[in-house]
Amino acid sequence: MAIQTFTWAPAVSGLSGTATLKVRKAQFGDGYDQRVPDGLNNRRSSYNLTFIGDAAKISAILAFLDARAGAEAFYWTPLLRTQSLFICETYSEPTKDGDVYTMTATFDQTFDATSTI
């Protein structure tokens, strides 16, 4: 099965992300430490996203995420970054205010299209 692309844009207001850098560290007795990147993909990102829209837009996002069941990776392009693989294991059920719906989702970067992180 081909990897799908998540195309909906999140609300920019409140968009937040975290990059985690995995390093190996050797601590020496004189207070000196030495660090090196751990692995080829030592930088992993996670984004907390908010989506706001009408029923059709939010329903389409829910259907996309549900179809992947938290286990299948998809492509998404974060702000100021290149397209990467992500999974979504957590999202909120939508809330409604008039005709506008809001939901949040957490996208975690992965490097393997066949499994979760």
Side-chain angles (χ1 to χ4, degrees):
M1 175 188 272
I3 299 172
Q4 301 295 309
T5 300
F6 187 89
T7 58
W8 297 272
V12 176
S13 175
L15 186 145
S16 66
T18 303
T20 303
L21 301 169
K22 188 175 176 185
V23 297
R24 289 186 185 202
K25 178 179 165 183
Q27 184 73 45
F28 299 97
D30 60 358
Y32 175 79
D33 62 21
Q34 190 174 38
R35 300 167 184 262
V36 295
D38 186 7
L40 294 174
N41 299 307
N42 77 312
R43 183 188 181 283
R44 180 169 284 170
S45 296
S46 180
Y47 293 88
N48 297 312
L49 307 172
T50 300
F51 299 95
I52 301 169
D54 61 14
K57 175 183 176 180
I58 300 302
S59 293
I61 292 170
L62 291 172
F64 182 93
L65 297 176
D66 286 343
R68 271 126 209 94
E72 183 183 325
F74 53 88
Y75 287 114
W76 179 64
T77 306
L79 294 174
L80 302 176
R81 298 285 182 186
T82 58
Q83 186 180 64
S84 300
L85 284 172
F86 288 86
I87 58 167
C88 179
E89 294 182 18
T90 306
Y91 64 84
S92 70
E93 293 296 337
T95 59
K96 183 178 180 186
D97 185 12
D99 291 334
V100 178
Y101 293 83
T102 303
M103 66 170 287
T104 60
T106 301
F107 286 10
D108 295 309
Q109 188 175 18
T110 186
F111 300 99
D112 182 0
T114 61
S115 65
T116 61
I117 55 175

